[in-house]
Amino acid sequence: MTIAEKRPLDETEGAGTVDKKQNAAPYVKGMAAIKPEYLAPVAARESPVVEDYNDDEAEGGDREQQEEPKNGRRGPKGKKNRGQNKNRDLRQKKDTVKLCVSMIDPDDSETGCVAGGAEHCKFSHDLQEFLNAKSEDIDGVCPVFEALGYCPTGMKCRWLKSHFNRETNKLVKDLEKLAIAKKENFEVNKIDRDSKIALQRKKFSFDISAPVIEYLESKIQKDDDPHRETRKENEAAFVEQPYKIAEKKKIDLRGAKIVSPLTTVGNLPYRRLMKSLGADVTYSEMALSKPLMEGHQPEWALPKAHISEYPGFGVQIASSRHWAAAKASEALYKTCPYISELNLNCGCPIDLLFKQGQGSALLDQPPRLVRIVKAMNASSGDIPVTIKIRTGVKENKNTAVNLVERVLSETQVAAITLHGRSRQQRYTKEADWEYIGQVGKVVQAWNDKRDEDKDGRDTNPIWFVGNGDVYSHVDWYNGTNTEGVDSVMVARGALIKPWIFEEVEAQQYLDKSSSERLAMLEKFAKFAIEHWGSDEYGVGNARRFMCEFLSFTHRYIPVGILERLPPKLNERPPKWIGRNDLETLLASSDYKDWIKITEMFLGKANDEFRFVPKHKSSAYENDRDEK
């Protein structure tokens, strides 16, 4: 049953000067209905350039690689070239004068020059030279110092004057705040140096996964036999597995407010923001199992989390081989103690992973998927394993029911999440919640059977989560009230409207003001600086990821200017004018305006700052304006 609205929406001041009758736009399917007084003048709405969204980036992000059309702006068969901008140069500026680490905090006697002094060091020991070449300090208080009472970036901090005593030439430290921060505000799941080196040198002890891999490889031929149900010799050849699956941590997803695994934008600062806005469960960006087991630093940055995310933090991995998944699971279990679940990605639609047999490619290879889940379960210690799938690979050919039945009968998963679209469909049509309900009933029947079994009553239930097009509390409650669905996972809805779980809690639409939305962006900026650092490089990274975040948040249309509710994720708005200048700015699709917004919190962007939006249409519009 859909939750009814608790109160009428408050009326807010209009744009004031627009004639409603002359400016009213006719209803167009797929177009958001904006109140006439907020529509831009007709001439502006007739611009030939229409913003287009490529939402595959939410799941594929920087790993996505598509072929570029060879001729002009149109690809094969006359299709518009509206994908992502490839080969984006996102390198950020580094310090002109590179300061030796021993000089970052000259008062820290524990940090010495590894080269043995200025005479042998390739980095500068001349503090005044560094300060003279350093960019002008940003006004305000350093977000890291404000949060921790000490800024580890020290002399390299872009807010240096807020925590540097020029009379004593010493950094300021609030030891009392620092002691509290060490208990309450810190990041976890940082792999230790020795373990990372052991992985890189192939000396890490995979004592848990070794027998698991050996056993599963001995069973591959039997498992892949299409007549495995009728072959009696399989029973005669049965060999008991030489390992035991550890007792798993319990997770409870009934009614949980869940943020989907997201690539690029689903970084630690964003997830931390979502936790502060009511999320119960968050997931890391998708990590690839093979680079994990090989100790690649960029991949091991992904399982890092803020302490506020645990419990309720899941690490998502992608794999096409059971041995790689087993080793990655064991490495994560041994080095990252703050993980609530390991989630196997069986739904990522991007071509690169699909061709490698990862992501949604597993939907058409049930034996391989089952092997990978078994390998992860047996190698992950007490960390439970969950999976995220799609309805199938091809449109109008749903396979999730059969796949889920096989997973339930042959493996031990703690939860199954179903995105109500096929890989082929991507985001072109609305999610199929009717089919999500059908799969939910399969899981529900399995749980009911477990409850009837005396031996099964003590085991944990298998949670079933629906995913797709959840953009309001109405969508969320419609999903959770679907029979067999325990909760709903939110992806793009949480990117465009980060306060969505506040609406779920309030059971009504929240017409957030532009100043309230700006305050959320400020909080993200502070979290980003805490995570990436307050030096030149860290500020550049924070600005880049804030722009990535704004590439979604600018799509939000305030409920106070909509003619009808509920809002829909796939509806595109005509050009509109906000209730004040800030609201109009926050709705801009021009990435140069996104950079302006970042400058409110991160100081003026330097001339070398690089950011190119992923959406080709956005880039085309702005490039055209510059000609």
Side-chain angles (χ1 to χ4, degrees):
M1 181 176 68
T2 301
I3 299 295
E5 295 303 303
K6 301 296 182 182
R7 61 169 175 79
L9 293 173
D10 295 333
E11 292 294 329
T12 55
E13 69 271 21
T17 59
V18 182
D19 187 313
K20 294 184 181 181
K21 292 182 180 179
Q22 291 183 0
N23 206 47
Y27 171 73
V28 179
K29 185 177 180 180
M31 187 72 73
I34 305 294
K35 291 178 180 178
E37 60 264 39
Y38 299 109
L39 288 171
V42 174
R45 300 205 306 271
E46 291 176 348
S47 169
V49 178
V50 179
E51 185 181 10
D52 186 49
Y53 307 135
N54 183 357
D55 284 333
D56 289 335
E57 70 186 66
E59 293 187 73
D62 295 331
R63 299 189 191 281
E64 176 67 89
Q65 295 181 8
Q66 298 171 335
E67 293 183 1
E68 296 287 350
K70 298 178 181 179
N71 302 314
R73 284 188 47 77
R74 289 188 177 271
K77 298 182 180 179
K79 292 183 179 180
K80 290 183 180 179
N81 180 15
R82 298 181 299 177
Q84 297 178 357
N85 287 306
K86 302 305 163 190
N87 302 317
R88 298 194 300 158
D89 187 354
L90 298 171
R91 293 172 297 173
Q92 305 306 335
K93 179 184 176 183
K94 296 184 179 181
D95 297 316
T96 305
V97 177
K98 296 183 179 180
L99 193 66
C100 176
V101 67
S102 66
M103 301 301 296
I104 289 177
D105 183 355
D107 198 39
D108 186 357
S109 58
E110 295 183 5
T111 305
C113 178
V114 294
E119 295 180 0
H120 309 286
C121 186
K122 64 179 180 180
F123 299 110
S124 175
H125 282 243
D126 189 334
L127 193 55
Q128 195 57 52
E129 178 193 28
F130 171 79
L131 293 176
N132 290 340
K134 185 170 173 277
S135 299
E136 183 180 352
D137 277 359
I138 300 171
D139 291 331
V141 180
C142 169
V144 180
F145 178 77
E146 186 178 32
L148 305 180
Y150 169 65
C151 178
T153 309
M155 305 302 293
K156 299 174 72 174
C157 178
R158 289 295 315 281
W159 289 266
L160 178 61
K161 62 185 178 183
S162 70
H163 55 79
F164 179 61
N165 189 327
R166 293 197 175 273
E167 293 182 0
T168 62
N169 281 332
K170 290 186 178 182
L171 295 169
V172 178
K173 298 179 183 179
D174 186 335
L175 299 179
E176 185 177 344
K177 181 181 283 189
L178 183 59
I180 296 173
K182 286 182 178 179
K183 295 179 180 179
E184 299 177 359
N185 182 10
F186 57 96
E187 295 181 5
V188 295
N189 295 337
K190 299 178 182 179
I191 185 171
D192 62 279
R193 182 174 178 273
D194 290 342
S195 295
K196 185 170 66 175
I197 292 175
L199 287 169
Q200 292 170 346
R201 295 179 179 176
K202 298 183 179 181
K203 293 183 178 180
F204 189 89
S205 176
F206 290 110
D207 55 297
I208 298 177
S209 57
V212 176
I213 295 169
E214 184 178 359
Y215 174 74
L216 290 176
E217 288 181 345
S218 71
K219 303 284 287 182
I220 287 178
Q221 188 173 358
K222 300 184 184 70
D223 288 344
D224 285 347
D225 187 344
H227 306 292
R228 68 188 189 287
E229 300 294 341
T230 59
R231 289 180 60 97
K232 298 293 184 180
E233 54 265 37
N234 276 9
E235 297 178 11
F238 175 77
V239 177
E240 186 175 356
Q241 61 190 31
Y243 55 85
K244 291 184 179 180
I245 296 177
E247 184 176 350
K248 303 293 183 180
K249 300 174 187 176
K250 291 185 178 181
I251 60 173
D252 187 352
L253 299 182
R254 180 176 285 117
K257 302 178 185 71
I258 308 171
V259 182
S260 175
L262 301 162
T263 301
T264 304
V265 189
N267 48 57
L268 186 150
Y270 167 76
R271 301 194 311 264
R272 188 179 171 190
L273 174 67
M274 290 306 302
K275 287 292 290 188
S276 73
L277 294 173
D280 297 317
V281 178
T282 57
Y283 291 88
S284 73
E285 300 173 66
M286 178 183 64
L288 303 182
S289 59
K290 196 168 183 292
L292 280 175
M293 59 171 274
E294 293 173 345
H296 291 196
Q297 179 57 38
E299 223 65 27
W300 276 98
L302 301 179
K304 290 181 182 177
H306 189 264
I307 189 60
S308 62
E309 295 184 76
Y310 185 83
F313 175 66
V315 172
Q316 185 182 69
I317 68 172
S319 186
S320 62
R321 297 287 186 269
H322 62 278
W323 53 267
K327 290 184 176 182
S329 299
E330 181 176 359
L332 287 165
Y333 164 63
K334 287 182 175 180
T335 62
C336 301
Y338 296 90
I339 298 177
S340 299
E341 61 174 280
L342 283 180
N343 181 264
L344 177 64
N345 185 316
C346 308
C348 183
I350 64 174
D351 295 336
L352 181 63
L353 263 69
F354 186 82
K355 292 175 182 177
Q356 295 173 347
Q358 303 184 78
S360 55
L362 293 174
L363 299 175
D364 276 350
Q365 302 181 63
R368 176 172 291 185
L369 189 157
V370 167
R371 275 197 303 277
I372 293 173
V373 172
K374 287 181 177 180
M376 292 174 63
N377 233 328
S379 306
S380 61
D382 63 350
I383 305 175
V385 174
T386 61
I387 64 173
K388 186 172 187 284
I389 64 175
R390 284 179 175 253
T391 57
V393 172
K394 296 182 179 179
E395 190 172 0
N396 300 321
K397 190 176 180 181
N398 295 334
T399 59
V401 167
N402 293 334
L403 181 65
V404 167
E405 287 177 342
R406 181 162 182 179
V407 167
L408 292 173
S409 63
E410 297 185 30
T411 70
Q412 298 177 32
V413 291
I416 298 172
T417 298
L418 175 62
H419 183 174
R421 293 183 176 87
S422 66
R423 174 188 182 265
Q424 186 180 42
Q425 183 181 342
R426 301 290 177 104
Y427 289 98
T428 56
K429 295 181 181 178
E430 293 187 356
D432 188 347
W433 273 90
E434 182 178 350
Y435 188 69
I436 290 175
Q438 292 178 30
V439 180
K441 290 177 181 178
V442 172
V443 180
Q444 185 180 51
W446 178 266
N447 284 326
D448 291 342
K449 184 179 179 181
R450 175 193 63 89
D451 291 338
E452 294 172 1
D453 185 356
K454 292 182 180 180
D455 295 330
R457 291 175 186 173
D458 295 332
T459 61
N460 301 328
I462 296 172
W463 305 107
F464 182 72
V465 179
N467 173 222
D469 294 341
V470 177
Y471 190 45
S472 68
H473 66 285
V474 175
D475 299 328
W476 195 89
Y477 282 105
N478 282 343
T480 54
N481 289 328
T482 300
E483 186 179 358
V485 176
D486 294 303
S487 191
V488 168
M489 180 179 283
V490 188
R492 291 175 298 160
L495 290 173
I496 299 170
K497 189 166 65 175
W499 62 92
I500 186 170
F501 295 125
E502 289 185 355
E503 288 192 354
V504 169
E505 194 66 28
Q507 298 184 11
Q508 63 185 17
Y509 295 103
L510 299 178
D511 190 6
K512 293 286 185 180
S513 67
S514 55
S515 58
E516 287 177 306
R517 292 167 58 201
L518 192 68
M520 294 178 195
L521 293 172
E522 180 181 20
K523 183 180 285 189
F524 173 85
K526 289 182 176 181
F527 290 164
I529 291 297
E530 284 186 54
H531 178 60
W532 283 297
S534 58
D535 59 354
E536 192 75 60
Y537 182 73
V539 171
N541 261 344
R543 196 186 307 278
R544 176 252 165 137
F545 284 103
M546 193 171 182
C547 286
E548 302 279 18
F549 189 21
L550 286 162
S551 74
F552 283 94
T553 61
H554 86 276
R555 291 162 53 177
Y556 172 69
I557 308 170
V559 293
I561 72 170
L562 284 170
E563 279 200 314
R564 66 172 185 272
L565 297 172
K568 295 292 186 182
L569 261 174
N570 293 331
E571 288 184 336
R572 303 294 190 261
K575 291 189 177 181
W576 56 277
I577 299 172
R579 293 167 289 190
N580 53 53
D581 290 341
L582 179 57
E583 192 166 74
T584 303
L585 177 64
L586 290 174
S588 173
S589 62
D590 187 335
Y591 72 91
K592 293 189 289 293
D593 284 332
W594 304 345
I595 295 174
K596 290 178 184 176
I597 294 170
T598 71
E599 291 178 334
M600 297 179 184
F601 314 112
L602 302 175
K604 184 173 176 57
N606 61 63
D607 294 337
E608 296 180 35
F609 174 73
R610 296 176 173 92
F611 179 77
V612 179
K614 290 181 179 177
H615 300 148
K616 286 185 179 296
S617 56
S618 296
Y620 171 68
E621 180 177 3
N622 291 296
D623 290 343
R624 190 190 66 164
D625 291 343
E626 293 173 357
K627 291 181 180 179

